[in-house]
Amino acid sequence: MSTSRTANAGRRLVIVESPAKAKTIKGYLGPGYVVEASVGHIRDLPNGAAEVPAAYKGQPWARLGVNVDADFEPVYVVNSDKRAQVAKLKSLLADADELYLATDEDREGEAIAWHLQQVLKPKVPVRRMVFHEITKDAIQQAVANPRDLNQRLVDAQETRRILDRLYGYEVSPVLWKKVMPRLSAGRVQSVATRLVVERERERIAFVPAHYWDISGTFAQAAQAAARAAQAASGGDPADFTARLTALDGRRVATGRDFGSDGVLRSVRGGAPVLQLDETGARALAEALRVAPFQVRSVESKPYKRSPYAPFRTTTLQQEASRKLGFGAKRTMQVAQKLYENGFITYMRTDSTTLSETAVAAARAQVTQLYGAEYLPDAPRTYASKVKNAQEAHEAIRPSGDRFRTPAETGLTGDDFRLYELIWKRTVASQMKDAVGQSVTVKVSGTAQAGAVDGAELPGREAEFSATGKIITFHGFMKAYVEGADDPDAELDDRERRLPPLAEGDALTAVELRPEGHSTKPPARYTEASLVKELEEREIGRPSTYASIIGTILDRGYVFKKGTALVPSFLAFAVVGLLEQHFGRLVDYDFTAKMEDDLDRIARGEAESVPWLRRFYFGETAEPSGDLGEAARAASTGGVDGDHLGGLKDLVTDLGAIDAREVSSFPVGDGIVLRVGRYGPYVERDGVRADVPDDLPPDELSVELAEQFLAKPTGDRELGTDPNPPHHTIVAKDGRYGPYVTEVLPEGTPKTGKNAVKPRTASLLKSMSLDTVTLEDALRLLSLPRVVGVDPASGEEITAQNGKFGPYLKKGTDSRSLESEEQMFTVTLEEALALYAQPKQRGRRAAAPPLKELGEDPVSGRPVVVKDGRFGPYVTDGETNATLRQADSVEEITAERAYELLAEKRAKAPAKKTTKSAAKKTTTAKKATKKAPAKKTAAAKTTAAKTTAKKTAAKKTATAKTAAPRKPEPESEEGSG
DNA sequence: CAGTGAGCGAGCTTCCGCTTGACTT
């Protein structure tokens, strides 16, 4: 590290994103270059209150980490887990004469490079170097041809980051208030959840249709001998299966002819479609049994199939799921390991492009393993199918300029299987098409009406149809065939051979089987199919697909049933709320529109601040030219006049959001499903019953809900009260914990004047729901116990259990008891003794302070640390402040205590102060904004307009904040 | 989602995208 510098060869520090990449590149650059990784982003907006720098605490926007009142100035902090790496980079830079920022060439990579520059503050020349494949040539080329940092691209990334923060950190709290705490909403996860919910809605609304057809096995009538010979020779089959497709010229309905409502769709092309029922199908099969059949037509078409593109992240996840049964997370973990150990290229990519060396390696391997006839003349190239692809990397492929065969790798288990998949797919992508013939045969026969007694035939002229496929050259299929999501789907490589048939051939029906079918609701998403859907909609990035699934699972929005993703009722409530009140934010096109706008910012055709302003504050008098679709999309529609509300308005006035309504779903028959804090339950006329958390919503029928209601869940019958009226005693788990209660007979009025309430009692701490006995329950239900009468006042004293534990009660006067057992044992004398003492006001009042920290410089009052309900806190007797996560009673200093108190004072009562301060800031900013424009006399260059304005504003903001901002554009010096 | 007799300092949750370990099971 501290090797001496030679006179003419300076030391260059090259920073890439990934350590594995650093290792490889080091080998290509040789001495004179130190290659180190940033290990991803090094700075970000503060995560929560704990990470907000002290200078911004108390600001109304501190929670967001973005100063929404000053042009959305972001606060950046070096993530705690990156501090060590940043320190390392700084020390390496100290020994370097030149800095190469070699982060990925995409929006995020450009931003990482900018953050590196801001944090490392290099005093040596800085160059931006980019490459898309890691080969010696490419790296050396890149080093020789550096460019400058693309500030617009950095702006686009920052805009994306801020939008996501505002969306996530403003909308999530709405869910905490209206649904339950700890929930979350975000640009990506909320749409992912919505997709799953909508699919479930489709399934719920789905009405299956039932239809019948006939499957027939046919053989050539006159050629029994020849047939047998052919079969024996292992060539074509002797018979074949065909399905009834038409009757009297009318097409027979198949699943595709029905809508999701179970109704036969109106017919395409004029001819009405015939829906066969069971009776008709059986009668027809019977009437066809003895009929002669003949081949009506044989149609042959050439078949061709091209190989699939090499893997990118999503297709790898899909295929690993289909073929290896891996979840997205497991796939990525295994791939990461393969990448780090040098077996494959980078696994988080949206590109299907292979480098030239990779193409050469694949082609060499095709020739070697399959022969030259499998190699196309020219290399195959694959255009990206991903609309917002950033293509910073190659496709996922075996690494190196000569691919190791799976056997050569020495890999085992999951590693081997995933490598083999990647290897096969890559090699196959450079092979020839598979070609062959696909054949359609139509067979006709006439039903013999007389053959069936009495039954009415749905028709007489029957037409059967069969398709076959013969692959004459397998091409890439020799190496690789893609799996199917639908297990019933036919695989591409499967040949279906038909006997050699000619028009007019006579056939006999070996068997005719009437078959009933039902249409099926759309299948639920799997991890892989959801990821595919998200990618198609340009939502999420390769590095996040697996974690998106993780997030919606963690939040309880979806759960897995086998491989299927099933939405919870909670997800229905959350998605419903978002659709009704934040409709445009969960619009499926929101992200795609945002991407368009970010592209415009990256091209310099739009600006970040007005775009964010419109998204957050709504439409203003800003010229609309540079405002994008997504920002507009967030606006809610006319609030007053032509002002369109932004996100802030939406989250400020929550009066219109009826929490009860968003959590309620009618089941039918007066039953309502509600999502409560403790999970879903059904309710009818005040009777409630738990619904299992993992009940798929499409399985909740009225019947099932009735079942739940008939036997409210969580009850454990303990027995019958031996005393009249002999109610059943049950133990339940309630919102205040486990308790026992009695079951009142049906028809007992629960509300109104004559309402009868059952006795209830919480279990003692020594009891548990599983072990509580009838005796325990009866003892508990005997409370409150009359201890005696106060001779002084004549008032009755009772002992009972309450929310603060056991206590005595005399009229409105109460005293806490020491133990639960005392409720049953305390005597009148002891009770009177307790009442003789004054009430203990404030349980903590007597507790001595944990620590004394001198006098507060502001209030001049002594500061102490105390222990309270919410843990330790500091107080000066007037202001209280809970210790933060980073603080401890042992380590806290007096200075820190004063700081906490000052922060607290600044927050609550200082509303007025904050406001006026904010006002001042705004005024000051406006002033500075105008001033330079006047001073520079460049007023005529207002043609240079908004850009200059924005820069000036940003500059002002920069001066106020500790976090360094972007370098000013060079042109600014000249104009200013 | 039961029903209740005081009175006491809340603070935190959450987003999306880049990257790996360092942990524990």
Side-chain angles (χ1 to χ4, degrees):
Chain A
M1 221 148 286
S2 55
T3 50
S4 63
R5 298 203 309 231
T6 55
N8 37 12
R11 285 174 58 96
R12 295 160 175 131
L13 175 60
V14 178
I15 303 179
V16 296
E17 288 181 39
S18 146
K21 207 190 234 183
K23 214 168 81 186
T24 316
I25 289 175
K26 205 173 291 179
Y28 295 147
L29 288 173
Y33 289 88
V34 174
V35 187
E36 186 54 63
S38 74
V39 198
H41 272 293
I42 53 155
R43 274 203 321 187
D44 192 11
L45 301 176
N47 229 324
E51 281 183 25
V52 175
Y56 307 109
K57 295 216 171 166
Q59 297 283 347
W61 48 266
R63 194 180 59 78
L64 299 171
V66 175
N67 188 349
V68 293
D69 296 325
D71 285 350
F72 300 91
E73 191 71 21
V75 174
Y76 287 119
V77 295
V78 175
N79 311 46
S80 61
D81 56 337
K82 294 294 167 56
R83 290 213 182 106
Q85 192 63 20
V86 168
K88 186 174 182 186
L89 292 172
K90 274 186 177 164
S91 90
L92 288 175
L93 180 61
D95 288 337
D97 303 319
E98 225 171 334
L99 174 62
Y100 282 83
L101 299 172
T103 49
D104 296 346
E105 186 171 34
D106 57 19
R107 203 160 62 206
E108 297 296 327
E110 203 71 15
I112 293 174
W114 177 77
H115 281 295
L116 282 167
Q117 193 179 24
Q118 295 296 304
V119 172
L120 299 178
K121 301 186 186 68
K123 297 190 175 60
V124 295
V126 180
R127 317 209 186 282
R128 175 83 171 102
M129 128 183 188
V130 293
F131 46 88
H132 296 105
E133 50 180 82
I134 305 176
T135 58
K136 194 165 186 173
D137 275 357
I139 300 301
Q140 290 178 344
Q141 278 279 326
V143 137
N145 298 290
R147 63 162 169 83
D148 289 331
L149 210 62
N150 180 345
Q151 193 59 41
R152 286 170 178 165
L153 199 53
V154 176
D155 276 347
Q157 190 276 345
E158 186 170 78
T159 310
R160 198 265 325 143
R161 180 68 191 92
I162 293 172
L163 172 113
D164 282 332
R165 168 54 62 92
L166 295 175
Y167 185 146
Y169 274 37
E170 290 286 28
V171 181
S172 297
V174 176
L175 299 180
W176 305 341
K177 281 178 207 145
K178 297 295 180 177
V179 186
M180 63 170 80
R182 290 175 174 276
L183 295 180
S184 62
R187 174 174 59 80
V188 171
Q189 61 169 292
S190 294
V191 174
T193 309
R194 186 179 174 207
L195 282 167
V196 180
V197 165
E198 284 226 324
R199 178 62 55 86
E200 197 73 7
R201 287 178 182 151
E202 287 169 26
R203 291 171 60 86
I204 292 170
F206 186 82
V207 182
H210 306 284
Y211 60 95
W212 284 69
D213 62 11
I214 299 172
S215 171
T217 305
F218 298 94
Q220 278 158 298
Q223 301 169 0
R227 186 202 324 155
Q230 278 163 353
S233 73
D236 296 315
D239 52 26
F240 65 99
T241 302
R243 191 163 291 280
L244 179 71
T245 49
L247 196 58
D248 288 349
R250 296 169 69 191
R251 199 163 56 75
V252 173
T254 67
R256 255 174 285 172
D257 294 306
F258 298 92
S260 58
D261 53 0
V263 176
L264 197 59
R265 266 185 236 155
S266 59
V267 189
R268 1 172 232 263
V273 177
L274 175 69
Q275 180 177 1
L276 271 188
D277 59 11
E278 180 172 2
T279 321
R282 290 195 183 287
L284 182 63
E286 196 54 42
L288 284 169
R289 207 161 295 280
V290 293
F293 287 90
Q294 65 168 358
V295 176
R296 176 181 283 178
S297 67
V298 179
E299 231 178 89
S300 182
K301 276 190 278 185
Y303 165 88
K304 191 182 96 169
R305 184 95 207 170
S306 299
Y308 317 93
F311 280 132
R312 57 180 188 272
T313 302
T314 52
T315 51
L316 176 66
Q317 288 177 357
Q318 285 156 37
E319 278 289 88
S321 164
R322 293 191 279 234
K323 292 197 161 158
L324 309 179
F326 290 2
K329 193 174 157 192
R330 185 167 162 205
T331 301
M332 296 311 283
Q333 273 170 350
V334 176
Q336 175 87 27
K337 206 167 133 199
L338 291 174
Y339 164 68
E340 283 172 17
N341 292 316
F343 289 104
I344 61 168
T345 55
Y346 197 61
M347 63 283 150
R348 291 185 275 264
T349 176
D350 51 19
S351 171
T352 52
T353 305
L354 292 178
S355 67
E356 275 177 36
T357 43
V359 169
R363 287 173 66 85
Q365 212 145 36
V366 170
T367 316
Q368 187 193 337
L369 296 173
Y370 300 99
E373 69 269 31
Y374 283 87
L375 189 70
D377 295 339
R380 288 181 179 275
T381 55
Y382 295 90
S384 177
K385 278 192 193 160
V386 185
K387 277 172 281 177
N388 63 335
Q390 309 214 359
E391 312 236 14
H393 305 94
E394 274 193 73
I396 305 170
R397 61 159 176 101
S399 59
D401 50 15
R402 195 202 144 263
F403 297 164
R404 279 169 281 192
T405 61
E408 285 172 324
T409 59
L411 293 168
T412 56
D414 284 357
D415 300 348
F416 178 87
R417 295 203 289 159
L418 196 70
Y419 179 83
E420 187 184 42
L421 193 67
I422 294 166
W423 175 77
K424 280 183 173 173
R425 175 102 167 196
T426 310
V427 172
S429 77
Q430 287 301 327
M431 291 172 74
K432 276 190 176 167
D433 291 345
V435 293
Q437 297 282 311
S438 78
V439 181
T440 303
V441 174
K442 292 204 165 148
V443 174
S444 61
T446 305
Q448 309 293 300
V452 194
D453 324 322
E456 193 153 325
L457 286 179
R460 298 192 55 189
E461 294 300 325
E463 182 184 274
F464 288 74
S465 170
T467 58
K469 186 162 71 190
I470 301 161
I471 296 174
T472 52
F473 178 72
H474 277 84
F476 75 93
M477 286 182 179
K478 220 46 183 190
Y480 184 93
V481 173
E482 192 165 80
D485 287 322
D486 178 358
D488 298 333
E490 285 170 13
L491 293 178
D492 278 321
D493 63 337
R494 196 159 299 164
E495 285 197 322
R496 276 187 323 277
R497 302 185 82 97
L498 295 172
L501 297 164
E503 197 174 319
D505 281 2
L507 300 170
T508 54
V510 178
E511 194 187 2
L512 292 166
R513 290 175 305 277
E515 288 181 351
H517 310 274
S518 300
T519 54
K520 292 198 183 71
R524 290 199 178 94
Y525 285 107
T526 61
E527 289 191 13
S529 66
L530 181 60
V531 161
K532 184 181 176 191
E533 185 78 39
L534 290 171
E535 185 191 47
E536 277 169 14
R537 296 176 183 276
E538 303 180 66
I539 297 165
R541 300 283 313 140
S543 66
T544 62
Y545 291 125
S547 62
I548 294 165
I549 308 280
T551 300
I552 63 178
L553 283 169
D554 277 356
R555 296 281 171 273
Y557 293 153
V558 304
F559 57 91
K560 292 190 76 169
K561 193 182 163 196
T563 58
L565 292 174
V566 188
S568 61
F569 288 107
L570 172 66
F572 273 69
V574 167
V575 167
L577 185 155
L578 295 176
E579 284 172 337
Q580 286 166 40
H581 302 280
F582 299 88
R584 295 194 177 99
L585 290 185
V586 288
D587 189 295
Y588 290 126
D589 289 334
F590 181 81
T591 293
K593 287 176 186 162
M594 178 197 77
E595 289 289 347
D596 288 345
D597 294 344
L598 295 180
D599 284 347
R600 298 199 303 130
I601 291 172
R603 288 196 303 265
E605 296 165 15
E607 282 182 279
S608 173
V609 172
W611 190 89
L612 286 169
R613 190 176 292 138
R614 173 155 175 165
F615 170 76
Y616 191 68
F617 291 113
E619 194 163 340
T620 61
E622 291 279 345
S624 60
D626 55 356
L627 297 173
E629 277 304 311
R632 184 169 292 124
S635 309
T636 46
V639 173
D640 39 293
D642 56 356
H643 175 82
L644 290 174
L647 176 60
K648 194 179 180 200
D649 290 334
L650 286 180
V651 299
T652 306
D653 181 21
L654 300 181
I657 303 179
D658 182 343
R660 191 179 169 81
E661 195 219 309
V662 301
S663 307
S664 301
F665 304 91
V667 179
D669 230 5
I671 303 173
V672 175
L673 179 127
R674 281 192 218 290
V675 180
R677 303 231 145 186
Y678 314 96
Y681 62 97
V682 282
E683 179 172 16
R684 179 171 57 192
D685 304 332
V687 180
R688 291 165 168 155
D690 275 335
V691 170
D693 279 327
D694 57 354
L695 177 77
D698 71 341
E699 289 176 24
L700 181 66
S701 57
V702 173
E703 296 73 43
L704 188 62
E706 299 269 14
Q707 276 179 40
F708 291 141
L709 288 166
K711 187 180 168 296
T713 40
D715 301 18
R716 191 164 77 82
E717 274 193 29
L718 299 178
T720 307
D721 187 350
N723 308 307
H726 306 296
H727 287 140
T728 303
I729 309 293
V730 294
K732 294 176 147 193
D733 201 10
R735 81 176 138 147
Y736 309 118
Y739 68 103
V740 290
T741 188
E742 52 192 1
V743 180
L744 301 181
E746 275 193 42
T748 310
K750 295 189 174 88
T751 51
K753 257 184 207 168
N754 301 319
V756 181
K757 287 195 170 177
R759 295 178 296 163
T760 63
S762 287
L763 297 196
L764 302 186
K765 287 186 188 107
S766 59
M767 301 172 178
S768 90
L769 204 51
D770 300 330
T771 57
V772 68
T773 63
L774 179 62
E775 287 68 39
D776 293 333
L778 293 172
R779 196 156 169 254
L780 290 170
L781 292 173
S782 72
L783 297 170
R785 163 174 160 260
V786 177
V787 177
V789 173
D790 180 2
S793 64
E795 279 178 298
E796 202 171 66
I797 300 175
T798 56
Q800 59 225 280
N801 212 355
K803 82 171 147 173
F804 308 115
Y807 68 104
L808 292 172
K809 182 178 169 175
K810 181 178 72 172
T812 57
D813 198 9
S814 67
R815 293 289 185 281
S816 285
L817 289 172
E818 292 275 320
S819 75
E820 289 176 322
E821 203 47 38
Q822 280 185 307
M823 289 188 289
F824 304 102
T825 59
V826 72
T827 62
L828 182 59
E829 287 69 33
E830 289 165 341
L832 291 173
L834 275 171
Y835 273 108
Q837 294 169 15
K839 203 164 190 163
Q840 295 289 314
R841 287 206 165 261
R843 274 190 308 200
R844 307 290 171 198
L850 298 173
K851 206 171 185 179
E852 295 181 15
L853 295 168
E855 281 179 10
D856 184 86
V858 179
S859 64
R861 307 161 79 115
V863 175
V864 293
V865 183
K866 290 184 171 185
D867 198 18
R869 250 194 319 169
F870 307 117
Y873 65 102
V874 292
T875 177
D876 66 349
E878 194 172 295
T879 308
N880 306 306
T882 302
L883 300 200
R884 300 300 156 76
Q885 286 176 322
D887 300 317
S888 73
V889 179
E890 295 74 35
E891 291 174 25
I892 192 164
T893 62
E895 287 66 35
R896 173 67 178 150
Y898 307 153
E899 192 182 306
L900 286 170
L901 289 172
E903 238 175 64
K904 188 66 189 298
R905 282 186 208 105
K907 234 183 197 174
K911 222 176 183 176
K912 228 172 21 182
T913 344
T914 323
K915 230 180 210 169
S916 61
K919 219 178 210 170
K920 253 183 227 163
T921 319
T922 324
T923 328
K925 192 180 71 196
K926 269 183 192 157
T928 39
K929 214 176 191 176
K930 277 176 194 163
K934 268 184 204 165
K935 220 192 325 187
T936 52
K940 32 179 147 51
T941 63
T942 32
K945 50 166 189 195
T946 26
T947 321
K949 229 190 227 170
K950 177 190 168 190
T951 319
K954 279 208 171 184
K955 208 177 184 181
T956 318
T958 313
K960 291 202 301 274
T961 58
R965 282 288 290 186
K966 296 160 210 180
E968 316 299 347
E970 278 166 23
S971 61
E972 205 211 305
E973 291 299 314
S975 72

